[in-house]
Amino acid sequence: GVIIFIPLFFQFVLGQSATNSGIVLMPMMLGMVLGSTLSGQAVSRLGGHYRTQALIGLGILAVGMYLMSRMSPDTTYLRAAINTGVSGFGMGIAMPLFVIAVQNAVPYSIMGVATSSIQFFQSIGQVIGLAVFGSIMADRFASNLSGNEFVVGLHLPPETLSALVNNAEALVDESSLAQIGEVFSRFGDQGPDLLQQFVIVLKGVLASAITDVFVIALAVIVVALVVTLFLKEVPLRRSHGPATPE
């Protein structure tokens, strides 16, 4: 659910283009591919200890999410890309192992049902996660911006502040920035400097709101770690078909 917020951070906080903000997901995807490949090889060659590997993967994912939660407007593009790569690597290790765990725990006759159920519940989790995280981000952004001392001291028109609260794209939209500039023209010669400081404050507030989402996601990962500790590890099957009746 947090994947959607990574390009938002790059575009609106770090000032990257929409193309570069999309490209930043590449390290995460490559990390997932590498992690799932190594995970598959390890589970087949090292005795099928999928619970242990899942704990390792979730631990790496937690580290990556912690690193992302520490990002700010001063974070470099390279550093942020590395953070997403670490998260992707941990995700790539852990996610396939839960599929193996479910498939290995059910009779062969219902393996197809079990596998499709995994996809269904993962999709439900992504939808709920995105909705919850999106609501949290919007609420934190609105409350932090409205309560910021610098913003309060400017005494901006309520409609201008409301438009910013409901539209973070104003940070990268030239027409929106031009409209905000007109509002700051009433400050006279200080207007351009105040506008620049205001944009910096906006980026900081938005960065804080997005990283708060990463902190909550980190808490969810910790819960997943605890739950995985109680996952019963069933020895892997030695055949790929239904058991032959005696």
Side-chain angles (χ1 to χ4, degrees):
V2 302
I3 293 178
I4 191 66
F5 299 98
I6 296 174
L8 292 179
F9 186 92
F10 276 79
Q11 187 174 0
F12 298 150
V13 177
L14 299 186
Q16 298 293 325
S17 66
T19 301
N20 287 340
S21 299
I23 291 175
V24 78
L25 290 177
M26 188 177 296
M28 173 172 277
M29 298 301 114
L30 292 176
M32 290 178 66
V33 171
L34 178 61
S36 61
T37 301
L38 295 177
S39 177
Q41 291 295 318
V43 79
S44 63
R45 297 173 183 271
L46 301 179
H49 300 294
Y50 52 80
R51 182 180 63 181
T52 301
Q53 289 181 218
L55 291 171
I56 294 173
L58 289 173
I60 296 174
L61 176 58
V63 171
M65 199 61 60
Y66 171 77
L67 294 174
M68 289 200 296
S69 72
R70 305 293 294 174
M71 294 192 300
S72 69
D74 298 325
T75 302
T76 63
Y77 185 90
L78 177 61
R79 183 64 184 175
I82 291 174
N83 294 345
T84 60
V86 173
S87 298
F89 183 67
M91 195 181 303
I93 292 176
M95 294 301 290
L97 296 171
F98 293 111
V99 177
I100 293 174
V102 172
Q103 291 177 336
N104 196 54
V106 300
Y108 184 84
S109 59
I110 62 170
M111 187 177 295
V113 177
T115 303
S116 61
S117 297
I118 296 171
Q119 300 298 324
F120 172 75
F121 285 111
Q122 285 181 347
S123 298
I124 293 296
Q126 290 168 5
V127 170
I128 294 175
L130 181 57
V132 171
F133 290 149
S135 298
I136 291 172
M137 190 204 76
D139 180 71
R140 295 291 176 87
F141 178 68
S143 61
N144 291 343
L145 181 62
S146 301
N148 184 272
E149 293 183 2
F150 177 79
V151 175
V152 172
L154 292 174
H155 301 290
L156 295 175
E159 60 273 12
T160 300
L161 192 59
S162 176
L164 288 171
V165 166
N166 297 317
N167 182 24
E169 292 184 6
L171 288 169
V172 295
D173 184 68
E174 293 183 1
S175 62
S176 298
L177 286 175
Q179 293 176 0
I180 297 173
E182 294 178 0
V183 175
F184 276 81
S185 62
R186 67 186 178 90
F187 292 103
D189 295 338
Q190 294 181 335
D193 292 336
L194 290 174
L195 175 60
Q196 184 177 7
Q197 295 178 42
F198 181 66
V199 172
I200 293 174
V201 169
L202 272 180
K203 290 184 176 181
V205 170
L206 182 59
S208 177
I210 295 177
T211 52
D212 283 347
V213 170
F214 296 150
V215 170
I216 297 172
L218 175 59
V220 175
I221 295 169
V222 171
V223 173
L225 270 166
V226 174
V227 172
T228 304
L229 287 172
F230 296 93
L231 178 65
K232 182 179 179 180
E233 195 168 77
V234 180
L236 294 180
R237 291 187 178 94
R238 298 301 181 183
S239 63
H240 300 282
T244 303
E246 296 181 359

